[in-house]
Amino acid sequence: MRVSSSRGALPVFLSAVVRRPKVIGALIPSSPALARRLAAVVPSTESPVVVELGAGTGAVSTAIARRMPESGRHVAVELDGELAAHLQEAFPRIDVAHANAIHLDTVLAERGLDSVDAVVGGLPWSLIGPPQQQRILDHVAKVLAPNGAFTTFAYLHALPLGGARSFRELLEATFDEVLPTRVVWRNFPPALTYVCRRPHRS
């Protein structure tokens, strides 16, 4: 895997935080431990199609690439233009879409994809309004293969807050199975992940 030699990931990430603090939603990228947990739903055999939402500088992208077979396809959706450009340079095998995750249906349609095997969510859900959260989850539910899984994360300290509780309720309204994992302490802040399967089909 080739990593960009022009600018390191952390300076690019910090630049995005300064430019768009209400969009990035974190002070540092996800830790390798959290990235591995999120990527655990990625199939490691055959030719899976994996979508990553909010790829940032590629912390989770690296974990996905380490699991995914050479024949797999990885589409990364990133809203920030500078981060998207960094991703494409650092990970030339990833199909990077500079787009908002609420337009996931359009992103996939442009690529001729109507079904994916896994969706890995790195979005700052607390900064996204409930209607937009629901729209994104509806798109995920629509394209997820019957045996596929969606995974995302929540910071431990935020779980008691109303926004985090409402998001958990949205997950449970969208998926038949929502499994919280044990806490990843080796992340700042500590976080847990949700593994979601079997969308409720409308």
Side-chain angles (χ1 to χ4, degrees):
M1 178 183 301
R2 183 176 68 86
V3 178
S4 170
S5 58
S6 58
R7 296 184 65 186
L10 186 57
V12 174
F13 185 87
L14 293 176
S15 173
V17 171
V18 172
R19 285 184 291 103
R20 310 183 75 174
K22 294 184 178 180
V23 173
I24 303 303
L27 295 177
I28 60 174
S30 297
S31 70
L34 180 58
R36 287 192 299 270
R37 183 75 62 79
L38 287 166
V41 299
V42 173
S44 59
T45 60
E46 299 183 358
S47 302
V49 178
V50 178
V51 173
E52 182 182 3
L53 303 178
T57 54
V60 180
S61 305
T62 299
I64 292 173
R66 287 174 177 164
R67 279 192 58 84
M68 198 165 62
E70 289 288 326
S71 58
R73 185 172 181 181
H74 180 177
V75 179
V77 181
E78 174 51 52
L79 177 62
D80 184 87
E82 185 174 339
L83 293 179
H86 170 81
L87 277 168
Q88 195 63 86
E89 182 181 3
F91 302 92
R93 291 190 66 245
I94 296 178
D95 181 358
V96 179
H98 176 205
N100 192 315
I102 65 173
H103 302 305
L104 178 61
D105 56 340
T106 301
V107 169
L108 296 181
E110 290 173 347
R111 288 157 173 79
L113 298 172
D114 56 13
S115 179
V116 304
D117 299 290
V119 179
V120 179
L123 296 172
W125 297 104
S126 63
L127 302 181
I128 302 172
Q132 289 73 34
Q133 291 178 356
Q134 185 66 74
R135 183 173 173 184
I136 294 168
L137 293 177
D138 286 345
H139 290 326
V140 171
K142 182 178 179 180
V143 301
L144 200 62
N147 294 324
F150 166 65
T151 186
T152 191
F153 72 95
Y155 291 127
L156 183 62
H157 71 273
L159 292 180
L161 302 180
R165 294 199 303 270
S166 296
F167 179 66
R168 172 69 182 268
E169 291 172 358
L170 277 181
L171 289 177
E172 292 176 342
T174 306
F175 298 91
D176 178 58
E177 179 180 81
V178 179
L179 298 177
T181 67
R182 63 186 184 278
V183 176
V184 179
W185 294 105
R186 296 177 64 183
N187 190 74
F188 182 79
L192 56 77
T193 64
Y194 295 116
V195 179
C196 309
R197 295 186 175 89
R198 299 190 300 276
H200 296 301
R201 307 294 184 183
S202 56

